[in-house]
Amino acid sequence: MEIDILNELLTESVAKLFNPRAVYNFKKPNPVYDNYQKNSNNTSSTSISSMQSDQPKFEQPQQKLSNPPTIEQWVNIIGPQKLQESLNKLNIDLAKLTKRDLEMMSMDQLQNEKKRVKNELKFYDANFQSIFNRFPLRNEKEPMRPLYIYYKKLKQQIDKVIQNPGIQIPTYKQSTNNTQGEIQKRIEDLKKTRAELRDKLNNFQNEFTTTHNRRIRFHKDIAPVEKEYKLYKEIKNEIQKLENILQKK
């Protein structure tokens, strides 16, 4: 009897092993422990990944110059740098320079500026020669083209003044440190120049009236003295600005 019961129990137990619906009292999974085990196993790979992501990202290095540089490197890299150095030394911004700026310069200023620009162009040639043992060809001077154009404009303005001397504004270097005496002297010089211009314009007007039997009415009428007329207005404005500065001091 007892043996039959035991066999029945064993048979039932064995049958459960092959029953997919059977429930076993195995140890329940522990999410915390499992995660710890998973992280532990992946520690090395995770650490490497983190180290790689923390590494600084370096930009692509700029083009390195050979020593000595090639002609191509000079024209494309060094040449433009030389131009900027010259512009900084001359303290000019060619993008803002106008024809009026040149016309407002005295002959002394024009000649001095021309000399300074010429020195920078010669300095460029000397630098090129020191590396390549020859002077640059025309295409190798291309980086300095803006300065060559400026030099040409200076020469043209000088020639224009020589051919039509007219009346020049007195040379003056204005700064925030000018004393009252310097400003007053500037005003006096400008007033003298303004008086000369006024006399010239009045004479022209009288001659025009006598010749054409009418007063000046059209813009074309003042063409012969247009430069002097514009200069007269500019000097008048300059005097007003300087007088305002004196009042504030």
Side-chain angles (χ1 to χ4, degrees):
M1 181 72 175
E2 293 178 358
I3 294 176
D4 292 338
I5 294 173
L6 180 61
N7 286 335
E8 184 178 347
L9 289 175
L10 287 174
T11 302
E12 183 178 355
S13 297
V14 172
K16 286 181 178 181
L17 292 176
F18 297 94
N19 185 355
R21 296 182 180 180
V23 178
Y24 308 101
N25 190 21
F26 293 129
K27 185 178 179 181
K28 294 182 179 181
N30 187 330
V32 176
Y33 176 79
D34 291 345
N35 287 336
Y36 172 78
Q37 285 292 97
K38 181 179 180 181
N39 290 336
S40 298
N41 294 334
N42 294 332
T43 297
S44 57
S45 61
T46 302
S47 299
I48 292 173
S49 252
S50 301
M51 289 173 63
Q52 289 175 344
S53 62
D54 292 339
Q55 291 297 323
K57 297 181 179 180
F58 298 100
E59 296 180 356
Q60 291 294 331
Q62 297 181 351
Q63 183 178 355
K64 294 183 179 180
L65 298 178
S66 56
N67 190 18
T70 64
I71 295 293
E72 182 180 0
Q73 289 174 335
W74 177 277
V75 172
N76 295 327
I77 301 175
I78 300 178
Q81 293 174 355
K82 295 294 181 184
L83 171 64
Q84 190 58 53
E85 290 172 5
S86 294
L87 294 178
N88 292 341
K89 191 183 299 183
L90 294 168
N91 192 28
I92 56 175
D93 184 351
L94 295 179
K96 297 180 180 179
L97 192 70
T98 65
K99 181 180 178 181
R100 173 55 58 188
D101 293 326
L102 296 181
E103 292 177 346
M104 291 292 292
M105 295 171 70
S106 67
M107 175 61 82
D108 290 341
Q109 289 174 321
L110 288 168
Q111 291 177 337
N112 183 59
E113 184 74 348
K114 176 188 169 187
K115 182 178 180 181
R116 293 173 65 225
V117 173
K118 186 175 182 179
N119 286 339
E120 290 304 312
L121 295 173
K122 291 171 67 175
F123 184 70
Y124 175 89
D125 291 349
N127 273 274
F128 186 95
Q129 184 187 32
S130 67
I131 296 176
F132 301 104
N133 297 318
R134 63 174 177 82
F135 284 108
L137 303 176
R138 182 172 182 176
N139 65 304
E140 294 161 350
K141 295 182 180 183
E142 189 64 23
M144 300 296 282
R145 172 187 285 272
L147 209 53
Y148 273 103
I149 294 175
Y150 179 50
Y151 180 76
K152 182 178 180 180
K153 289 181 179 180
L154 287 168
K155 288 182 62 178
Q156 290 173 343
Q157 183 61 27
I158 290 173
D159 293 340
K160 185 177 179 180
V161 172
I162 291 175
Q163 295 171 6
N164 303 284
I167 299 176
Q168 294 288 312
I169 294 180
T171 303
Y172 174 70
K173 185 176 182 180
Q174 184 175 343
S175 71
T176 56
N177 297 323
N178 290 130
T179 64
Q180 289 186 354
E182 290 173 334
I183 296 176
Q184 189 61 51
K185 178 64 168 56
R186 171 65 171 170
I187 293 175
E188 292 174 1
D189 291 341
L190 287 173
K191 285 184 176 181
K192 290 179 182 179
T193 305
R194 184 182 65 179
E196 294 176 11
L197 286 167
R198 186 190 298 115
D199 291 341
K200 183 173 182 178
L201 292 172
N202 285 336
N203 291 334
F204 174 81
Q205 180 173 310
N206 293 333
E207 291 177 3
F208 183 91
T209 303
T210 301
T211 303
H212 298 85
N213 198 27
R214 66 175 176 83
R215 296 177 63 85
I216 295 174
R217 289 182 297 176
F218 307 107
H219 181 269
K220 64 179 181 179
D221 294 341
I222 66 170
V225 291
E226 184 175 7
K227 179 180 177 182
E228 286 78 3
Y229 178 71
K230 290 181 178 179
L231 192 58
Y232 177 83
K233 291 201 302 182
E234 289 166 0
I235 290 177
K236 186 177 179 180
N237 293 334
E238 181 70 11
I239 291 173
Q240 184 62 52
K241 291 179 182 178
L242 293 174
E243 288 178 341
N244 292 337
I245 293 174
L246 276 182
Q247 291 177 359
K248 295 178 181 178
K249 283 186 176 290

